[in-house]
């Protein structure tokens, strides 16, 4: 589960820190206490920035870093596809062995495949992704999202 | 003796219940007819319970170790099974309690502490019936005493059916909650859900159905019932004691306040205040009945494998036979419906003026386990007008 | 590896726990140190539980048949065993609940609905501490919100002990109830009961002690504690889930109102009102946790056969050894007392800045089951002033 | 359990009916609903009358009849001894085989020995005896007794 890629992201997070954004959310993983505050800035249909602050285990922190690396600069539709693929992988209970197609979409995020075997940790891995989804919906004016704090 | 007419292979089913091998009182083989009080436990459930306690036991939700993952998967898996068994729109609507009594008290307490429009207070009314189990009377008496709300109830006709002739006077726009039993544990009557629910909806009242005696015996479909809450209990449906259930509509579970406070039902806690986890966890202060839920999951699998439609049809056939034959016994009087129509398999009777305590004891001497119940409160018309004060209740489960 | 120093034959005791034979994650033999969350179950308890479910299962108190007599004798026999285990003056002071959380909520609710002099209302105060389990915080927050009573608490010293320097300011004549944990599930500290009880008695406040983490590990003598109520839980002391305990002084149990309403907790019921059975039944709406009580009785027998004094001494020796060796690990910091004095066997620690979730996962990979806990609320001084936000808790039970 | 003596007393109860008394109590066996209203009339230290009305099973009704037969006319100390002996027998869980000495004290009441094996029925057998004890204490001015209804 502790792939080098994950530990790298944990030790050297991408794009950490809070910068200007169109929407901000704060999410908590209630069963473990991981937290994230995340902002999304959109430029028309493109994700101009995802900035965040948080604390928690290596999985939740590395996942936020991977998210930043993967999604910033992408069009929203494309980003949604990445998010859905990641969700699918994480909900697979270790049963999906990522193929090339998936690897192309998820890049570093395929390293999380092993995490999907541990239900308690899946929530850590998904925390920033759920926050991103909520913040984006909010930035697009689709309601305020579910804030868990 | 001619075999009882039925549709199930009762000899095969008997073998699933180890207790039925027992011989009591000098070589009488046990005949267990006290299913209205609690059911016996099939081997399949016992094995699942034992495997859990012996191999997978752990607290749930919070651990980061193998056992915690396994226990959580088994516990939440049981919730999925129960949700499917009752056709719940969402698994998150299934709350594990300790028994049906707690489920009923939970709703009463929620409504006492709720905000408008659900709040029960001195300007509002609570409706129950005269044929409720004590566990569906006392919580409402307490709520009524504590809030000043008025407690009202439906009476019974001479045949032991609910008297709905004054439906509109009893359920009014002041009514906040109508709580009634689906199948009576005393008379065996199946109550007319639709008429009551329709009137309650018209009046804007919530409906709670006590399905404790229904869940083990018939298809229970919470969507078809159109109630807001349905309570029932594990130990009457082949599961262990100390697990009860409350199904509630999701919006309500979100809006209503919690009952027991504690670990896992919270999202964040500071010394000053807390926020609550979403349902069902909001209503499950740790540690929940983990082993018992696993047992219940296995019990639900067991019942489903036989098939609830088949169980229902089988019991109907037996009940038809039993009420007919019972009436051939001199001095035996059935309390409650004397035909199998809209009635479950619990049959109450009196035998001349022999006190039921004595009837029960004599049956026990023959190895036949029944229960007896004092019938004075709530008073039944059938009893009020006679010198009988109690009756023997026997309830035939599928495995009887 | 040198064997841990202790007084018990741990190899023999290990054999009583079937789960400890398990191998996990590619041939790692399970090491279960998550006893603060829940204990594992010895064969002796499993056998009693299974025998009950398989041979004697029945509802209690009301049947007139062999099984009902047997089940009642076993259930009430378990009450006798628990009463003896905690040195209760009377068996009728032992109430079976579903878990410690329910026991704590029960007291909070009783006091909210009580008459004077017990009644908690907006002119009165409730006292807890900063080191309570959520199950001893949230019930009091709810009671405070619902009655307007003021919630106050003792803070902690930098060593993680209760700060009693302002004892007289916190417990005052306005205080109606002081509720605190005997042994902390997080820090392992044993709290100074005597000083708190003395002050509470002076102020005329009731005292509730949460002994959930004490009952499995040391001699629990409710008379020596001099509290009014003591709550604890079965699943942490070798019994199944879904059974908790509340001991309360008889006069209080008589005077205070009931909590859950239902069958068996009543004496007489009419549609208008009911009278309640004497304690303990007043607080046990049917159907109680029968099988679980039987299991608890067997668990109490099991622990007593080993001897609670010996268990206590053994754990003390292990804790002494463990806190010493832990401190030799680079970057490991114990949260809570660093000596074995006045501390139980639960040890919380942080390891450098590695998140405890990760520490727990790595230990799991080695077959070692621990738990981890976010420590933010209630905030501990030791944590408040550092960048740590959680710690790993491992709790060594006698069978560890 | 259903000895002829018991059934006789059940069918032909002694001294049934409420007559004048110095004290009256009403006891209920909550687990089974048996009820008794019982009055005691004392004449100095002698029990002048025990009158009662009740309803319930054969055991509870026969036991009241036996009580009337045994206690009326006795001195209080002697009656207390009978009551205590009966209590001891009923709490014996079937383990006491009444000997001659006991039979002398209890007379017809030894027929209840079999009932002691059935805890649920012991309460039925003891109902009138507990009521008598309470009523007597009340008649003697020793408090009001525990009324259960
Ligand atoms: C100190 C303490 N109090 C209360 C509880 C709650 O006990 P239960 O799980 O039986 O509700 C626990 C553990 O869960 C505990 O450690
Ligand atoms: C109709 C009905 N409701 C409620 C209950 C109470 O259920 P439980 O024993 O699970 O509290 C029972 C049986 O005891 C019952 O028959």
């Amino acid at each position: 589960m502790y792939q080098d890629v994950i530990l790298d992201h944990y030790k050297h997070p991408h794009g950490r820190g809070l910068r200007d954004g169109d929407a901000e959310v704060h999410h908590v993983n209630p069963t473990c206490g991981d937290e994230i505050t995340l902002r999304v800035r959109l430029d028309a249909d493109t994700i101009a920035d995802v900035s965040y602050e948080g604390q928690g285990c290596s999985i939740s922190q590395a996942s936020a870093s991977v998210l930043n690396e993967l999604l910033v600069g992408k069009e929203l539709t494309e980003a949604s596809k990445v998010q859905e693929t990641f969700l699918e992988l994480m909900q697979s209970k270790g049963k999906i062995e990522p193929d090339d197609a998936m690897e192309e979409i998820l890049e570093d995020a395929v390293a999380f495949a092993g995490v999907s075997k541990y239900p308690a940790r899946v929530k850590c891995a998904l925390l920033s992704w759920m926050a991103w989804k909520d913040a984006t919906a909010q930035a697009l004016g689709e309601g305020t999202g579910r804030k868990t704090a | 003796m001619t075999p009882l007419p039925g549709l199930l292979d009762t000899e095969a089913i008997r073998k699933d219940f180890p207790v039925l091998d027992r011989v009591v009182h000098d070589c009488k083989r046990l005949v267990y007819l006290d299913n209205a009080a609690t059911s016996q436990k099939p081997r399949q459930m016992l094995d699942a319970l034992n495997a859990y306690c012996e191999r997978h036991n752990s607290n749930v939700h919070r651990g980061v170790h193998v056992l915690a993952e396994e226990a959580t998967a088994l516990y939440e898996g049981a919730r999925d099974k129960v949700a499917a068994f009752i056709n719940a729109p969402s698994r998150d609507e299934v709350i594990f309690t300790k028994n049906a009594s707690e489920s009923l008290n939970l709703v009463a307490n929620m409504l006492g502490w709720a905000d408008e429009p659900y709040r029960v207070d001195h300007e509002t009314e609570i409706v129950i019936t005269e044929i409720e189990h004590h566990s569906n009377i006392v919580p409402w008496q307490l709520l009524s005493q504590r809030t000043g709300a008025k407690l009202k109830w439906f009476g019974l006709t001479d045949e032991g059916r609910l008297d709905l002739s004054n439906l509109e006077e009893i359920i009014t726009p002041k009514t906040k909650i109508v709580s009634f039993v689906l199948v009576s544990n005393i008379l065996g009557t199946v109550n007319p859900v639709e008429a009551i629910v329709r009137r309650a909806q018209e009046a804007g009242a919530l409906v709670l159905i006590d399905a404790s005696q229904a869940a083990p015996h018939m298809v229970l479909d919470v969507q078809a019932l159109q109630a807001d809450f349905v309570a029932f209990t594990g130990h009457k449906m082949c599961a262990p004691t100390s697990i009860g259930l409350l199904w509630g509509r999701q919006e309500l579970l979100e809006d209503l306040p919690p009952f027991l406070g504690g670990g896992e039902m919270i999202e964040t806690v500071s010394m000053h205040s807390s926020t609550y986890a979403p349902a069902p966890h909001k209503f499950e202060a740790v540690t929940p009945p983990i082993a018992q839920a696993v047992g219940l999951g296995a019990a639900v699998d067991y019942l489903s494998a036989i098939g609830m439609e088949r169980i229902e049809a089988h019991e109907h056939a037996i009940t038809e036979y039993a009420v007919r034959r019972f009436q051939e016994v001199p001095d035996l009087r059935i309390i409650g419906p004397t035909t199998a129509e809209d009635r479950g398999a619990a049959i109450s009777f009196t035998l001349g003026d022999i006190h039921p305590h004595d009837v029960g004891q004599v049956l026990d001497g023959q190895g036949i386990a029944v229960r007896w119940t004092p019938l004075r409160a709530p008073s039944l018309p059938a009893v009020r007008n006679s010198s009988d004060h109690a009756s023997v209740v026997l309830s035939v489960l599928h495995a009887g």
Side-chain angles (χ1 to χ4, degrees), chain A, chain B:
Chain A
M1 162 160 160
Y2 293 107
Q3 305 260 354
D4 285 345
V5 181
I6 293 181
L7 294 181
D8 262 6
H9 274 280
Y10 178 47
K11 287 190 203 136
H12 311 289
H14 281 250
R16 196 183 168 92
L18 285 175
R19 296 171 294 277
D20 268 2
D22 304 324
E24 174 182 312
V25 298
H26 179 71
H27 273 213
V28 173
N29 174 351
T31 61
C32 86
D34 291 337
E35 288 192 29
I36 193 159
T37 305
L38 181 145
R39 292 187 190 155
V40 168
R41 188 158 59 79
L42 298 180
D43 182 0
D45 275 355
T46 305
I47 301 169
D49 194 14
V50 179
S51 64
Y52 63 95
E53 267 304 346
Q55 57 196 20
C57 65
S58 54
I59 303 298
S60 69
Q61 301 305 300
S63 174
S65 165
V66 169
L67 178 147
N68 171 284
E69 194 180 64
L70 271 172
L71 299 193
V72 174
K74 283 216 168 59
E75 302 252 309
L76 277 177
T77 42
E78 214 182 330
S80 287
K81 195 169 153 211
V82 177
Q83 190 264 338
E84 276 157 28
T85 310
F86 187 67
L87 185 65
E88 186 195 347
L89 178 63
M90 294 318 298
Q91 291 177 338
S92 72
K93 302 190 175 164
K95 280 183 203 119
I96 294 184
E97 189 62 63
D99 57 10
D100 289 353
M102 190 175 255
E103 216 168 318
E104 194 156 315
I105 299 172
L106 290 185
E107 302 179 27
D108 277 6
V110 293
F112 288 83
V115 175
S116 72
K117 271 180 273 179
Y118 300 88
R121 306 306 296 276
V122 167
K123 285 186 188 158
C124 307
L126 287 176
L127 182 70
S128 51
W129 295 81
M130 293 300 175
W132 171 78
K133 208 180 149 191
D134 261 19
T136 304
Q138 207 175 305
L140 293 170
E142 293 169 5
T144 56
R146 194 178 91 89
K147 293 195 201 165
T148 55
Chain B
M1 192 181 117
T2 36
L4 286 182
L7 307 164
L8 297 174
D9 180 353
T10 47
E11 268 316 302
I13 292 174
R14 267 192 85 89
K15 292 214 179 74
D16 292 334
F17 290 79
V19 77
L20 299 179
D21 286 344
R22 276 195 61 173
V23 289
V24 294
H25 295 312
D26 313 324
C27 307
K28 306 274 176 2
R29 189 167 169 210
L30 178 69
V31 177
Y32 185 80
L33 297 177
D34 196 12
N35 292 294
T38 201
S39 75
Q40 291 302 338
K41 316 305 173 201
R43 162 71 43 221
Q44 291 82 339
M45 191 290 285
L46 294 169
D47 288 347
L49 178 63
N50 210 38
Y52 172 80
C53 293
E54 205 174 292
R55 312 293 295 170
H56 309 290
N57 169 70
S58 164
N59 216 320
V60 288
H61 296 305
R62 195 155 279 225
V64 275
H65 52 81
V66 181
L67 297 184
E69 302 271 12
E70 290 173 356
T72 306
L74 285 164
Y75 178 65
E76 293 300 335
R79 201 189 304 278
D80 293 327
K81 290 178 184 184
V82 173
F85 187 73
I86 61 173
N87 193 25
S90 158
R91 68 182 304 281
D92 293 337
E93 298 178 339
V94 175
I95 298 167
F96 289 126
T97 62
K98 71 172 173 177
N99 54 20
S101 304
E102 185 190 348
S103 303
L104 297 163
N105 279 275
L106 201 173
V107 177
N109 276 272
M110 284 196 295
L111 298 181
W113 295 121
D115 292 327
E116 285 303 344
Y118 307 114
R119 189 178 185 85
V120 168
D121 60 24
H122 66 282
E123 288 174 352
T124 62
E125 296 176 353
I126 300 163
V127 172
I128 59 175
T129 85
E130 262 193 350
I131 191 57
E132 297 310 313
H133 188 273
H134 290 167
S135 295
N136 200 24
I137 298 177
V138 187
W140 306 109
Q141 290 181 337
L142 288 171
L143 182 65
S144 149
Q145 284 158 22
R146 289 168 179 178
T147 60
K150 186 168 174 193
L151 183 62
K152 295 163 82 177
W153 54 85
F154 289 103
L156 296 178
T157 67
D158 283 348
E159 290 81 44
R161 304 268 179 198
L162 280 192
D163 176 3
L164 298 187
S165 59
N166 49 0
L167 192 57
E168 265 101 45
E169 284 150 54
I170 294 197
I171 302 179
T172 74
K174 284 189 172 175
T175 311
K176 289 280 174 156
I177 174 85
V178 180
S179 184
F180 67 97
V181 71
L182 181 48
V183 180
S184 160
N185 57 312
I186 304 174
L187 302 186
T189 36
V190 178
N191 282 326
V193 175
E194 215 186 305
I196 301 175
V197 169
R198 203 182 318 115
R199 174 60 190 158
Q201 286 175 345
E202 211 172 83
L206 295 176
V207 173
L208 165 58
I209 292 182
D210 175 2
S212 301
Q213 297 284 348
H217 300 287
M218 55 178 66
V219 177
L220 184 64
D221 179 334
V222 296
Q223 297 190 54
L225 288 175
Q226 292 207 39
D228 298 290
F229 302 100
V230 176
F232 54 112
T233 191
H235 70 91
K236 293 190 205 279
M237 53 191 289
C238 302
T241 50
S242 220
I243 177 121
L245 295 122
L246 179 67
W247 169 84
R249 280 202 296 114
Q250 191 138 26
E251 317 83 84
L252 293 171
L253 298 182
E254 266 165 35
D255 286 356
L256 289 166
F259 177 41
L260 300 181
E264 287 301 318
M265 54 73 73
I266 42 79
E267 196 160 75
T268 60
V269 179
S270 76
M271 292 306 290
H272 296 275
S273 68
S274 304
T275 59
Y276 305 116
H281 302 293
K282 178 176 170 185
F283 301 101
E284 295 180 358
V286 281
T287 301
I290 310 171
Q292 295 69 31
V294 173
L296 177 63
V300 159
D301 283 346
Y302 179 78
L303 293 172
S304 304
I306 300 178
M308 292 311 295
E309 287 92 351
R310 289 179 66 211
I311 289 173
E312 193 171 342
H314 178 86
E315 291 191 11
H316 191 74
I318 291 196
T319 306
E320 209 152 48
Y321 175 82
V323 292
R324 182 161 49 75
R325 294 298 304 273
F326 268 44
Q327 289 173 88
E328 295 165 10
V329 178
D331 288 341
L332 190 150
R333 198 156 65 86
I334 290 178
I335 310 285
T338 52
T339 66
E341 203 188 329
D342 285 342
R343 112 188 288 303
I347 303 174
S348 282
F349 66 91
T350 59
L351 198 57
D353 58 4
I354 307 177
H355 192 279
H357 223 167
D358 296 318
V359 176
Q361 194 85 51
V362 169
L363 287 172
D364 176 56
Q366 303 303 312
I368 303 173
V370 299
R371 85 196 298 215
W372 77 279
T373 316
L375 284 185
R376 288 161 316 149
S379 53
L380 294 171
V383 173
R384 243 186 340 242
N385 307 324
S386 83
S387 63
D388 308 326
H389 286 277
S391 77
V392 175
V393 185
L394 56 82
S395 170
V396 187
L397 191 76
H398 27 94

